[in-house]
Structure formats: C-alpha cells, structure tokens
Amino acid sequence: MATNTPNPLKPINEASRRKVFIETYGCQMNVNDSEVVLAILQDAGFALCSSISEADLILVNTCSVRENAEQRVLGRLDVFRQEKKKRKVLVGVLGCMAQRMKEKLLENESVDIVAGPDSYRELPRLVEAAGLESKQMDALLSHEETYGDISPVRMDSNGVSAFISIMRGCNNVCSYCIVPFVRGAERSRDPYSILREARSLIDSGYKEINLLGQNVDSYRWKNPENHAEKVDFARLLEMVALLDPTVRIRFATSHPKDMSDGVLYTMAMYDNICKHIHLPVQSGSNVMLERMNRKYTRETYLERISRIREIIPECAITTDVIAGFCGETDEDHRQTISLFNEVNFDSAFMFQYSERPGTKAARQFADDVPDKVKTERLEEIISLQNEISLDRNLRYVGQVCEVLIEGPSKRSAADLVGRTSSNKTCVFPACGHKAGEYVNVRILSCSSATLKGEIV
Ligand code: SAH
Ligand code: SF4
Ligand code: F3S
C-alpha cells in the first residue's frame, strides 16, 4: 500500500527526482484527487514541476460531466503530442474521462497511461511499466478505496483554504449524470482519518477546511469494531468544527432529498461553520425533476429553502441548474424561471444539458431540445440570476462582515481578496494585513460577483 511517509531505508536523492506536471479539470474533488496523486508520486521519487517542457511525466486529471469538458482535454492531448515529438516524455490520462473511455483513450497516440479515479495507488507501477514496455491501463472501480491514509500534497494552494474529501462515488442515479459511472459506488471515509487530516492542515496554518462529497448529506460511517458507534454528516461536521473555533468549515455538495434539519441546527450552533449551502435544484419543473430522477419535487425543494431560512436566516444559498433537458417545454422552463424568482439564490452554476453516453437519459429519452433553444433558455436564466445576485449583494452594502483573507487581489497588488462566511468574494485595500488573517470589512459597494469595502 502506498503511503507518503518517506521510506528511511531508501533515501531519495532530490536532484535525481523525475519531474511530473499535473493539469486538473473538473470539480473540487478532482483537484483534491490530484493532490492525492502528487502524494503517491512524491513517495515514488517524483517532484512536481510547473511547465510541460520540464516534465518527464505529464498527467491530466479529467472531467466527463459535459461534452465540452472532454473536448478541452482532447485538445490538450494534441499539444502533448507535439511535446512528445521533441523528446521522451510519458503522458497519463487520469480521472473521470479515463474511467469512461478506457481503451479508446489508450488508442490515442499521445497517451501512455490511463488510470481511473480508484487506481491512483497503481500509478508508480503503471509509470515504470509504461516507460519500459508499452502502454498501461488500470480503470477498475473499487467499493473500498477512499485514500484515507494518504495525506494529499497541496498544489497551487493559497495556504489558507484546503479540501478534504470525506467520501467518494455516488449512489444516486440522476438520469443525466455520468458521475456514478465514472466514480463508482458511494463510500464514506473513516471520520478519524478526516479529523487527522484536518488537524494536520490546521497545524500547518490553514484557516479554512472544505469538506467534499457528491452528496455530503449521505455521509455515513459505522465503526467496524463497534457497530454502536455511528457518525452521520451532522456529527462529522460538528467534530471537525470543534477542532479549532478559529478555523472555518465549508462543505459541498448538499442534496435536497437528503439534507436534514440536523445539519442545519449544527450549522446554526457553530460560528465557524460557514453560512452557505450549495443546494443544486437542476430544474423548477416537477416533470423534469421526475425525469431527472432527482427524487424531490419543486414543493419539497422550496420547503428545504424555507427551513434553511428559518434556522439560519443569514445563510447564503447557491444552486446548479440545467437548461434544455430532454423534453423540456417552454412551460417547464418558465417553472425554472419562476423558481429562481421565488428563491433568490445568491449565485448559481448554470449549464445547458449535454447528453452523456450510457446514462439513463441517453438510453431512454431523446435529447430533443434544439441547441438554439437550450442556449436561449440558458441565457435567460443567466441574465435573471445576474440581476438577483446583484440584488442579494446590495443587501450587504453598509454592513460590516468578517472576511478571511486569501491573498492579494488579481487586479491590484494594493488590494486583498477574501471571503465572507456566506462565501461572497470581498476586495479591500490591504492596510498592512495579509493572507490567513480575519478582518472586519465595511462593505461600500458591489457588483453581481464581488463586494468592495474597507477594513474597520
Ligand atoms: N453531486 C453534485 C454535482 C454533480 S456535477 C450534485 O448532485 O448536484 C455538477 C453539476 O453539473 C450538476 O449539479 C449539474 O447541474 C451539472 N451536470 C451534471 N450532468 C450534466 C449534464 N449531462 N449536462 C449538463 N449539466 C450537467
Ligand atoms: Fe450526479 Fe446526481 Fe450523484 Fe450529483 S447526486 S453526482 S448529479 S448522480
Ligand atoms: Fe467531478 Fe467531472 Fe468527475 S464534475 S466527479 S471531475 S465527471
């Protein structure tokens, strides 16, 4: 089993380390997986490098959630092929697309290694064999793998905020979604390994921990040695929050059918659990929700929203939505528009439906909304949400918010950027402060995406 404590019997000569370049697409879980991959490869004698021209090994960690995510990676493989013409370098495709396409990717002349999300412990072996013999592939999904014993090596981190995956896979079968096929069955990680990882992040100065899962509300762990000891998500959240009151906890993603009042009460109880819930709705129409197999209705979704606002009045709520799913009529679309008007989300990730091979939707329903109509509907949702986001942000103007500083602002070195507990990005003059500090900021103005203010 790979661990990332160096083997004392086999010292690694730093200068002789081979260089690996890692590029990551997709969701936060994929970002965290790349950190696990780096931990495994460092242990096997690799060092991270920052450009493909230095690399002995190029890895691309991929996403399959929509077709354009895959197209982007195929474009990158062409770039890597040019690099391979110049010199000897191995190219590996990791992640969801590796799992979905398997042999098909291996046929691509750029690709030497294909490894799915549960195969990362095999990477050192695959890389050796690919260097010596021929192309290598491992894309077996596991029911147990959680990488719980591996301490991810943080990349591109601001040193303030870090991810911890608390579970892997997904047991839902939303009809449009490829994730269960490429990530396998849901597994919850041992809470004590989560607490150890959180503790070590806190000890190295991190101030914000993001707990990740496709459906965190179904986190469930039973002690194999003592079946009476059970941990659900509300309890896990509390255990992590109790580690250090000065460290913020965030989590994603919540599922409307599973989000319990227990989680809401826990959030309300601890100041350091951030007041933000990402609750994907996908559609405002019951006909679409049924066809998507989401297992809730517009009415029960709105009931969850009311409960959040009752228990945590200051909580920001964000969502995901899909425009133009199979058979979506104008009336279904109007239902989505009316739900957006009713809820007033703080922000949203908005997508056009993209058919994914092998999903229930691809097998059973026609992808029959013309592209032009999908685009029009998406644009209507985006422009409405932009207005609502601005309106939500305007409520903050005049208020003082506690902001955790993440670093210098991209626009000006004299400004800092951070986030409020409600996950609003906030920009303000530095006044001698730095990343990792909490400051109170009076909000003076805003756009639909950002708050601007000054430290008080
Ligand atoms: N586990 C999370 C998110 C999964 S993927 C959840 O259950 O909500 C992130 C988002 O991508 C989804 O919420 C959905 O809005 C979008 N998405 C997933 N499959 C899609 C598809 N085939 N076409 C367009 N958008 C899709
Ligand atoms: Fe996909 Fe649904 Fe699982 Fe989210 S809950 S990852 S949308 S199947
Ligand atoms: Fe994430 Fe994309 Fe895979 S959203 S789980 S990287 S398909």
Side-chain angles (χ1 to χ4, degrees):
M1 212 193 269
T3 65
N4 51 334
T5 35
N7 180 348
L9 301 174
K10 202 180 75 182
I12 291 167
N13 172 359
E14 288 306 317
S16 72
R17 279 181 180 269
R18 284 169 295 165
K19 303 270 189 304
V20 57
F21 176 81
I22 309 180
E23 197 166 281
T24 307
Y25 295 85
C27 61
Q28 295 175 332
M29 303 203 70
N30 243 22
V31 174
N32 192 223
D33 277 6
S34 288
E35 298 173 335
V36 167
V37 165
L38 179 58
I40 291 168
L41 288 175
Q42 274 192 1
D43 192 39
F46 279 86
L48 186 68
C49 66
S50 56
S51 73
I52 59 174
S53 60
E54 298 166 72
D56 303 296
L57 171 64
I58 299 172
L59 296 177
V60 51
N61 194 0
T62 60
C63 174
S64 284
V65 81
R66 282 168 292 276
E67 196 187 346
N68 56 14
E70 294 194 340
Q71 290 304 335
R72 268 184 32 227
V73 168
L74 295 175
R76 290 300 286 160
L77 293 181
D78 290 338
V79 174
F80 301 155
R81 193 174 56 237
Q82 300 309 317
E83 194 65 20
K84 289 181 76 140
K85 278 188 191 150
K86 291 185 227 156
R87 63 200 180 84
K88 183 165 165 55
V89 51
L90 292 174
V91 172
V93 181
L94 314 181
C96 298
M97 212 175 144
Q99 193 65 44
R100 192 181 81 73
M101 293 175 65
K102 300 191 179 80
E103 291 83 5
K104 231 170 162 186
L105 271 173
L106 220 52
E107 285 164 15
N108 185 308
E109 57 174 314
S110 301
V111 179
D112 303 291
I113 299 153
V114 171
D118 288 343
S119 305
Y120 298 149
R121 289 182 202 271
E122 298 304 319
L123 270 174
R125 179 180 64 74
L126 297 174
V127 173
E128 287 322 310
L132 296 173
E133 306 153 28
S134 58
K135 296 186 178 225
Q136 297 290 318
M137 181 169 84
D138 192 322
L140 286 175
L141 286 171
S142 152
H143 283 276
E144 286 89 32
E145 182 63 272
T146 62
Y147 301 113
D149 58 317
I150 294 179
S151 304
V153 176
R154 312 289 158 179
M155 273 184 268
D156 298 329
S157 161
N158 54 17
V160 176
S161 182
F163 300 129
I164 300 184
S165 296
I166 62 166
M167 55 211 293
R168 296 182 72 81
C170 182
N171 278 358
N172 294 313
V173 265
C174 304
S175 60
Y176 51 82
C177 185
I178 194 76
V179 171
F181 298 87
V182 291
R183 290 265 165 181
E186 182 183 283
R187 295 137 265 175
S188 294
R189 184 173 159 191
D190 177 337
Y192 297 103
S193 83
I194 296 170
L195 291 174
R196 274 196 299 277
E197 189 174 335
R199 170 50 58 204
S200 112
L201 287 169
I202 296 169
D203 290 344
S204 41
Y206 283 87
K207 291 287 176 200
E208 186 177 270
I209 289 170
N210 294 270
L211 304 178
L212 302 180
Q214 294 296 353
N215 176 3
V216 291
D217 300 299
S218 63
Y219 177 88
R220 216 146 266 120
W221 182 82
K222 206 170 13 172
N223 186 338
E225 271 126 49
N226 167 16
H227 284 208
E229 188 194 0
K230 292 180 185 152
V231 178
D232 64 3
F233 183 60
R235 177 68 190 132
L236 178 73
L237 198 53
E238 178 168 51
M239 286 158 84
V240 181
L242 283 168
L243 287 176
D244 185 335
T246 72
V247 170
R248 281 181 169 182
I249 317 300
R250 297 186 184 278
F251 59 88
T253 302
S254 304
H255 198 303
K257 77 176 165 62
D258 297 316
M259 191 187 65
S260 68
D261 287 358
V263 168
L264 301 180
Y265 287 121
T266 306
M267 287 178 75
M269 194 147 57
Y270 294 95
D271 280 344
N272 60 330
I273 304 180
C274 289
K275 305 301 182 262
H276 167 222
I277 295 178
H278 185 63
L279 196 66
V281 66
Q282 314 300 2
S283 171
S285 149
N286 280 335
V287 180
M288 289 297 109
L289 289 173
E290 165 99 54
R291 188 168 298 167
M292 288 174 166
N293 200 26
R294 287 290 285 178
K295 303 216 160 73
Y296 54 85
T297 60
R298 175 191 179 94
E299 292 71 28
T300 53
Y301 184 87
L302 291 172
E303 185 273 331
R304 291 286 81 200
I305 298 288
S306 307
R307 282 304 269 165
I308 298 171
R309 296 205 161 131
E310 214 174 292
I311 299 172
I312 324 163
E314 73 278 29
C315 193
I317 304 174
T318 58
T319 201
D320 292 347
V321 68
I322 299 175
F325 184 58
C326 309
E328 188 187 69
T329 62
D330 266 329
E331 173 51 26
D332 294 316
H333 171 63
R334 299 259 65 86
Q335 293 276 315
T336 296
I337 294 289
S338 93
L339 181 126
F340 269 57
N341 274 315
E342 198 166 333
V343 176
N344 285 310
F345 293 110
D346 288 89
S347 70
F349 294 111
M350 298 160 276
F351 310 104
Q352 286 189 30
Y353 174 57
S354 161
E355 186 177 83
R356 307 313 294 133
T359 56
K360 181 166 174 244
R363 284 180 279 121
Q364 295 188 358
F365 312 121
D367 179 11
D368 54 0
V369 177
D371 266 350
K372 183 167 163 287
V373 176
K374 283 183 185 170
T375 310
E376 279 166 12
R377 288 180 184 167
L378 178 64
E379 279 170 1
E380 186 182 353
I381 301 171
I382 292 174
S383 87
L384 169 63
Q385 183 55 43
N386 283 344
E387 281 170 37
I388 297 172
S389 298
L390 177 61
D391 197 53
R392 299 292 298 176
N393 284 352
L394 280 168
R395 295 171 179 223
Y396 285 78
V397 175
Q399 286 187 25
V400 174
C401 299
E402 187 183 59
V403 173
L404 172 60
I405 305 174
E406 291 176 1
S409 133
K410 272 184 215 134
R411 293 242 180 99
S412 151
D415 289 344
L416 292 170
V417 65
R419 273 176 297 156
T420 64
S421 168
S422 59
N423 207 34
K424 306 276 178 190
T425 301
C426 186
V427 177
F428 47 91
C431 299
H433 290 274
K434 58 179 195 306
E437 292 176 18
Y438 288 99
V439 285
N440 286 318
V441 176
R442 183 184 306 284
I443 309 304
L444 301 171
S445 65
C446 71
S447 66
S448 61
T450 317
L451 305 178
K452 281 191 176 158
E454 62 187 16
I455 297 174
V456 294

